[in-house]
Amino acid sequence: VDAVTEPWWTATRERRLLLQRCPACATVQHPPRVVCTGCGQGAPAWVEAAGAGVVDAATVVHRPAHPELTPPYVVARVRLAEGPVVLTNVVEGPPDGSAPAPGTPVGLRWRALSDGRHLPVFAVNEETTWTSN
Ligand SMILES: [Zn+2]
């Protein structure tokens, strides 16, 4: 956590997922940066993500990166409706434990951390019907 990401982490205490939107060129970006990746101007403004996205890529992890994570779990790149891609976990994925396919619609959920902050994770939309083949 640093001066750039501190507002982002603070918002997770209220389960709000913030993105940055450039007032000059309207580029929406994540993770937080000092300058806009679109035009290079400083001081992008904070906006709140709606929480909808689609899976860009996903994989099942069987060996956890941290001891507190229980494998297997799904690590995914999720493209938000606002445009940015976030590296996250997909919970409540396909019932067979496989990784959701690219293009699968997902919605924002939160995983509580011990210090009151939260990590944004995503769940496959309830209306998704799985095809068995
Ligand atoms: Zn810009």
Side-chain angles (χ1 to χ4, degrees), residues 92-96 98-101 104-105 124-132:
E92 302 169 31
D96 63 358
S98 65
T104 302
V124 174
N125 288 354
E126 292 173 1
E127 56 268 30
T128 299
T129 54
W130 303 107
T131 56
S132 56

Side-chain angles (χ1 to χ4, degrees), residues 21-27 29 35-42 44:
R21 186 178 185 278
C22 176
C25 75
T27 293
Q29 65 186 16
V35 299
C36 169
T37 57
C39 70
Q41 294 205 31

Side-chain angles (χ1 to χ4, degrees), residues 14-73:
E14 302 170 339
R15 303 186 181 206
R16 295 189 299 128
L17 177 58
L18 296 186
L19 305 171
Q20 287 180 316
R21 186 178 185 278
C22 176
C25 75
T27 293
V28 179
Q29 65 186 16
H30 180 83
R33 295 182 178 86
V34 176
V35 299
C36 169
T37 57
C39 70
Q41 294 205 31
W46 295 107
V47 294
E48 187 171 344
V54 296
V55 172
D56 183 56
T59 187
V60 178
V61 174
H62 294 280
R63 292 175 176 269
H66 300 286
E68 69 264 30
L69 296 174
T70 304
Y73 56 91

Side-chain angles (χ1 to χ4, degrees), residues 69-95:
L69 296 174
T70 304
Y73 56 91
V74 175
V75 172
R77 284 159 42 102
V78 168
R79 182 170 297 280
L80 299 174
E82 290 83 358
V85 170
V86 296
L87 186 64
T88 183
N89 293 137
V90 170
V91 298
E92 302 169 31

